[in-house]
Amino acid sequence: MDTNAQTKIIQWNAREISLSLVPDYFENVAHLEIRSLDKQSLPITETGYRSHFFHSEKAPTIEEVTDMVSAWLNKEAKTKRWQNYEMESKQLDLFEF
């Protein structure tokens, strides 16, 4: 982890998600790592981990990124793909032990 990183744990749908932001990873480019602490899928990543670079004229704060990630998760949670995943993950499988 970069020593310049800002970190925060957020709650989303009763799940803990770790955010790690390096606001000045490159000139005018920030780097964000998103990790579900239970290592389960999120609407924005099947693996529970996402690395995301984005252009930013001014260095973003962890609070600004928290709002961005929450909105991103909420938007993607409305997709048919995520709703199907949630339905399938809640159904019991008679052949799974």
Side-chain angles (χ1 to χ4, degrees):
M1 180 185 298
D2 191 301
T3 57
N4 218 13
Q6 302 171 31
T7 61
K8 185 171 185 174
I9 305 291
I10 65 169
Q11 296 286 324
W12 181 80
N13 285 6
R15 299 186 48 204
E16 290 189 321
I17 299 170
S18 171
L19 305 179
S20 178
L21 171 68
V22 179
D24 55 352
Y25 196 85
F26 298 118
E27 186 176 338
N28 295 330
V29 175
H31 180 237
L32 174 63
E33 290 183 312
I34 303 164
R35 287 184 175 87
S36 65
L37 295 183
D38 61 6
K39 299 185 179 7
Q40 299 299 310
S41 295
L42 293 169
I44 59 174
T45 170
E46 291 180 11
T47 64
Y49 173 82
R50 176 122 187 199
S51 174
H52 183 70
F53 291 91
F54 58 98
H55 180 75
S56 180
E57 290 293 326
K58 73 173 189 74
T61 66
I62 194 70
E63 289 76 23
E64 291 169 328
V65 169
T66 297
D67 292 342
M68 179 188 79
V69 170
S70 295
W72 190 10
L73 288 164
N74 290 332
K75 178 182 177 196
E76 293 300 316
K78 294 176 184 171
T79 64
K80 187 132 184 96
R81 179 191 60 79
W82 180 254
Q83 291 174 2
N84 288 341
Y85 168 80
E86 286 219 302
M87 188 183 328
E88 289 171 9
S89 66
K90 291 177 184 175
Q91 290 181 349
L92 296 176
D93 186 343
L94 294 175
F95 303 104
E96 196 173 294
F97 295 95

